[in-house]
Amino acid sequence: MSVTPSVFDTQMKHLKDNGYTSVDLTTYVQIMKGETDGPAKPVVITFDDNNLSQYDVAMPTLEKYGQMAVFYLITNHIGIKGALSPEQILDMQARGMDIESHTITHRVLTLLPNNEIDHEFAESKKTL
Protein backbone atom coordinates (compact mmCIF):
# COMPACT_ATOMS: atom_id res chain seq x y z
CA MET A 1 0.00 0.00 0.00
CA SER A 2 1.23 3.46 -0.78
CA VAL A 3 -0.15 6.97 -0.73
CA THR A 4 0.76 10.21 -2.46
CA PRO A 5 3.07 12.63 -0.64
CA SER A 6 0.16 15.03 -0.03
CA VAL A 7 -2.02 12.28 1.48
CA PHE A 8 0.88 11.15 3.68
CA ASP A 9 1.38 14.74 4.84
CA THR A 10 -2.33 14.98 5.67
CA GLN A 11 -2.17 11.71 7.62
CA MET A 12 0.87 12.80 9.63
CA LYS A 13 -0.72 16.19 10.33
CA HIS A 14 -3.85 14.41 11.56
CA LEU A 15 -1.79 12.29 13.95
CA LYS A 16 0.03 15.35 15.31
CA ASP A 17 -3.12 17.49 15.59
CA ASN A 18 -4.93 14.73 17.47
CA GLY A 19 -2.23 13.95 20.01
CA TYR A 20 -0.81 10.73 18.57
CA THR A 21 2.87 9.98 19.08
CA SER A 22 4.67 7.39 17.00
CA VAL A 23 6.85 4.82 18.74
CA ASP A 24 8.70 1.70 17.66
CA LEU A 25 6.93 -1.65 17.78
CA THR A 26 8.77 -2.91 20.86
CA THR A 27 7.82 0.20 22.82
CA TYR A 28 4.22 -0.07 21.64
CA VAL A 29 3.95 -3.66 22.85
CA GLN A 30 5.49 -2.72 26.21
CA ILE A 31 3.00 0.15 26.60
CA MET A 32 0.05 -2.09 25.73
CA LYS A 33 1.22 -4.73 28.24
CA GLY A 34 1.62 -2.08 30.94
CA GLU A 35 5.35 -2.77 31.20
CA THR A 36 6.35 0.82 30.51
CA ASP A 37 4.85 4.27 30.45
CA GLY A 38 4.49 5.98 27.12
CA PRO A 39 2.53 8.61 25.29
CA ALA A 40 -1.24 8.70 25.82
CA LYS A 41 -1.92 7.87 22.17
CA PRO A 42 0.90 5.71 20.81
CA VAL A 43 0.89 4.65 17.16
CA VAL A 44 3.33 2.64 15.03
CA ILE A 45 4.14 3.88 11.52
CA THR A 46 5.86 1.31 9.30
CA PHE A 47 7.47 1.18 5.88
CA ASP A 48 8.64 -1.85 3.90
CA ASP A 49 10.96 -2.62 1.03
CA ASN A 50 13.65 0.09 0.88
CA ASN A 51 11.89 2.49 -1.48
CA LEU A 52 13.97 5.64 -2.01
CA SER A 53 10.89 7.83 -1.47
CA GLN A 54 10.96 6.74 2.16
CA TYR A 55 14.10 8.85 2.55
CA ASP A 56 13.28 11.64 0.10
CA VAL A 57 9.59 12.11 0.94
CA ALA A 58 8.57 10.29 4.12
CA MET A 59 11.52 11.29 6.31
CA PRO A 60 11.05 15.06 5.90
CA THR A 61 7.31 14.70 6.51
CA LEU A 62 7.82 12.56 9.60
CA GLU A 63 10.28 15.10 10.98
CA LYS A 64 7.97 17.99 10.09
CA TYR A 65 5.34 16.51 12.42
CA GLY A 66 7.71 15.19 15.10
CA GLN A 67 7.05 11.54 14.30
CA MET A 68 9.28 8.50 13.82
CA ALA A 69 8.74 5.29 11.89
CA VAL A 70 9.93 1.71 11.64
CA PHE A 71 11.57 0.82 8.33
CA TYR A 72 11.67 -2.89 7.45
CA LEU A 73 14.49 -3.41 4.94
CA ILE A 74 15.27 -6.16 2.46
CA THR A 75 19.00 -6.49 2.93
CA ASN A 76 19.95 -7.61 -0.58
CA HIS A 77 18.14 -4.56 -1.97
CA ILE A 78 20.24 -2.08 -0.01
CA GLY A 79 22.10 0.19 -2.41
CA ILE A 80 20.45 -0.95 -5.63
CA LYS A 81 19.03 1.64 -8.03
CA GLY A 82 15.87 3.24 -6.62
CA ALA A 83 16.45 1.82 -3.14
CA LEU A 84 17.96 3.15 0.06
CA SER A 85 21.75 3.34 0.28
CA PRO A 86 23.76 2.29 3.34
CA GLU A 87 24.51 5.97 4.02
CA GLN A 88 20.83 6.92 3.90
CA ILE A 89 19.93 4.07 6.24
CA LEU A 90 22.57 5.16 8.74
CA ASP A 91 21.31 8.74 8.47
CA MET A 92 17.72 7.60 9.09
CA GLN A 93 18.81 5.70 12.17
CA ALA A 94 20.81 8.68 13.45
CA ARG A 95 17.69 10.84 13.02
CA GLY A 96 15.61 8.59 15.27
CA MET A 97 14.09 6.10 12.84
CA ASP A 98 13.96 2.41 13.73
CA ILE A 99 15.65 0.15 11.19
CA GLU A 100 14.53 -3.48 11.18
CA SER A 101 14.86 -6.59 9.05
CA HIS A 102 12.43 -7.60 6.30
CA THR A 103 14.45 -10.67 5.23
CA ILE A 104 17.30 -10.99 2.76
CA THR A 105 15.39 -11.52 -0.48
CA HIS A 106 11.68 -10.87 0.19
CA ARG A 107 10.73 -14.36 -0.96
CA VAL A 108 7.33 -15.75 0.06
CA LEU A 109 8.22 -17.32 3.40
CA THR A 110 5.25 -19.68 3.48
CA LEU A 111 6.72 -21.43 0.44
CA LEU A 112 10.15 -22.01 2.01
CA PRO A 113 11.40 -24.82 4.23
CA ASN A 114 12.08 -23.84 7.85
CA ASN A 115 15.87 -23.76 7.46
CA GLU A 116 15.60 -21.20 4.63
CA ILE A 117 13.16 -19.09 6.64
CA ASP A 118 15.58 -19.13 9.57
CA HIS A 119 18.40 -18.12 7.20
CA GLU A 120 16.34 -15.24 5.74
CA PHE A 121 15.72 -13.82 9.22
CA ALA A 122 19.10 -14.46 10.84
CA GLU A 123 21.28 -13.27 7.98
CA SER A 124 19.24 -10.14 7.30
CA LYS A 125 19.49 -9.14 10.96
CA LYS A 126 23.20 -9.87 10.92
CA THR A 127 23.67 -7.67 7.84
CA LEU A 128 21.84 -4.78 9.45
Side-chain angles (χ1 to χ4, degrees), residues 8-114:
F8 184 66
D9 187 275
T10 300
Q11 292 171 337
M12 294 304 102
K13 182 178 185 323
H14 175 82
L15 292 176
K16 180 73 171 176
D17 291 349
N18 289 281
Y20 289 91
T21 303
S22 56
V23 296
D24 62 61
L25 190 55
T26 300
T27 301
Y28 183 82
V29 170
Q30 290 171 340
I31 292 167
M32 293 298 110
K33 288 182 173 181
E35 297 173 354
T36 189
D37 291 330
K41 293 181 173 182
V43 63
V44 179
I45 301 167
T46 65
F47 293 88
D48 291 349
D49 303 344
N50 312 41
N51 189 305
L52 190 55
S53 68
Q54 295 168 3
Y55 187 82
D56 295 337
V57 178
M59 281 281 298
T61 304
L62 290 163
E63 291 177 327
K64 175 180 173 180
Y65 294 105
Q67 302 289 0
M68 62 87 62
V70 183
F71 294 82
Y72 292 97
L73 305 181
I74 305 163
T75 56
N76 76 348
H77 290 190
I78 294 171
I80 66 172
K81 185 177 180 174
L84 297 168
S85 71
E87 296 79 16
Q88 289 167 322
I89 294 165
L90 289 171
D91 183 47
M92 293 165 69
Q93 188 174 38
R95 291 161 66 182
M97 303 299 143
D98 186 23
I99 306 299
E100 299 292 341
S101 165
H102 193 40
T103 73
I104 300 169
T105 61
H106 204 267
R107 293 188 292 170
V108 179
L109 297 177
T110 57
L111 300 178
L112 300 178
N114 287 341

